[in-house]
Amino acid sequence: MTLKLNKIAKYESNNFFLLAGPCAIEDRDLALRIAEKITSICSKLEIPYVFKGSYRKANRTKADSFTGIGDEKALKILEEVSKTFGIPTVTDIHETKEAELAAAYVDVLQIPAFLCRQTELLEAAAKTGKAVNIKKGQFLSGASMGFAIEKIKSVNPEVQGMLTDRGNSFGYSDLVVDYRNLVDMKEFGAPIVMDCTHSLQKPNQSSGVTGGNPKMISTIAKAAIAVGADGLFIETHPDPANAKSDGANMLHLDNLEQLLVDLVRIREAIS
């Protein structure tokens, strides 16, 4: 399934598309540095690319966790990334009032997994006319996500919807990926994405800081492409250990290119 965005590159290679970047917008220079490197890699490999960065983090365990550098400041950085590299951008929204605000700066509005059943939030995102990426709740099956697509289509039949799997809750501090969810979600006619980093989180740690298992990112990504995912979501950072959000499950930026090379080969093999 093709992702239809005005700025996204169109290639004849039938590659998957990529949503990638830091978990949160930490500062301008870092965002531009990450975007430049990933844009260069994706151009070489002919992978359609969307830059990802949360302008504000609302789902944090501890009250003193980093939430952002300021809404307008972060959104303007996302806008600058888009204009500088000619690529679309995606960011999360958490409340209905955020939809119109974020839509003025980015191309894709992302609905966090915990909020995928929030009807008014989905409708507000669809009303902006921007593409909407809905993350599947950790508590839901892939087959149930058709209702989320129905909600945005009922408001705007032309809106580009996407469905992203990020694992299912398994016990109190782990997630498990069931690839049947990708197959089930394909039935709804929207591009299907695998979140290769959040699906490896280890939430609810007693320290109040979410853990992760980044060494398994390539395994999750390769299996997703083999199953037929249309896109991949990967959070990446040049220094994950010092990232201000979700560093424990991010891919080191230096390891992204070889992973994408391997994934392109898998995609070619199954095409």
Side-chain angles (χ1 to χ4, degrees):
M1 181 68 62
T2 302
L3 176 60
K4 299 175 183 177
L5 296 175
N6 290 335
K7 298 174 188 173
I8 201 161
K10 305 294 193 303
Y11 299 113
E12 296 180 1
S13 58
N14 192 34
N15 263 335
F16 56 89
F17 59 88
L18 177 68
L19 287 72
C23 177
I25 298 298
E26 300 178 19
D27 63 58
R28 173 184 177 275
D29 291 344
L30 180 64
L32 290 169
R33 173 186 168 191
I34 294 172
E36 181 177 26
K37 182 159 186 176
I38 303 177
T39 299
S40 176
I41 295 169
C42 288
S43 178
K44 181 166 53 177
L45 298 176
E46 298 189 339
I47 298 171
Y49 173 49
V50 182
F51 177 84
K52 184 272 169 182
S54 295
Y55 77 93
R56 175 152 52 91
K57 300 298 296 183
N59 301 333
R60 305 308 307 275
T61 303
K62 297 170 65 177
D64 61 353
S65 294
F66 173 80
T67 58
I69 59 174
D71 292 356
E72 187 174 8
K73 182 178 180 180
L75 286 167
K76 285 184 175 180
I77 290 172
L78 283 163
E79 183 179 49
E80 183 178 358
V81 165
S82 180
K83 290 180 177 178
T84 301
F85 301 106
I87 56 175
T89 55
V90 55
T91 198
D92 308 89
I93 59 171
H94 305 86
E95 300 180 59
T96 56
K97 64 184 180 181
E98 296 179 33
E100 188 173 353
L101 170 66
Y105 296 92
V106 302
D107 304 278
V108 183
L109 301 178
Q110 183 165 279
I111 308 299
F114 287 122
L115 302 175
C116 68
R117 286 171 53 96
Q118 297 298 105
T119 301
E120 290 185 356
L121 181 60
L122 289 165
E123 291 176 344
K127 286 176 183 177
T128 68
K130 295 301 177 81
V132 182
N133 181 28
I134 311 169
K135 287 199 170 183
K136 182 187 75 61
Q138 302 93 323
F139 45 87
L140 293 174
S141 69
S144 66
M145 289 302 291
F147 300 112
I149 287 292
E150 286 179 3
K151 288 177 181 179
I152 64 172
K153 292 292 185 178
S154 68
V155 171
N156 185 350
E158 302 302 317
V159 73
Q160 169 72 81
M162 292 180 274
L163 293 173
T164 296
D165 189 15
R166 47 99 75 237
N168 283 79
S169 295
F170 186 75
Y172 293 104
S173 301
D174 204 0
L175 298 166
V176 64
V177 176
D178 182 349
Y179 289 95
R180 294 175 298 179
N181 286 325
L182 296 181
V183 177
D184 287 342
M185 290 193 297
K186 271 186 172 288
E187 297 296 318
F188 306 125
I192 304 304
V193 182
M194 184 71 231
D195 183 338
C196 304
T197 45
H198 287 103
S199 61
L200 291 167
Q201 282 184 332
K202 292 186 177 296
N204 306 317
Q205 300 294 309
S206 60
S207 65
V209 179
T210 297
N213 188 13
K215 68 181 181 180
M216 296 294 290
I217 291 172
S218 63
T219 300
I220 297 293
K222 290 172 183 177
I225 292 300
V227 169
D230 302 298
L232 297 176
F233 179 106
I234 298 175
E235 288 189 341
T236 181
H237 194 284
D239 186 11
N242 290 301
K244 294 183 178 180
S245 178
D246 274 359
N249 56 267
M250 278 201 278
L251 180 70
H252 197 291
L253 187 60
D254 289 344
N255 297 331
L256 179 63
E257 183 167 6
Q258 185 56 57
L259 173 58
L260 292 177
V261 168
D262 293 342
L263 295 173
V264 168
R265 290 172 178 163
I266 294 172
R267 179 69 173 225
E268 291 172 347
I270 66 172
S271 296

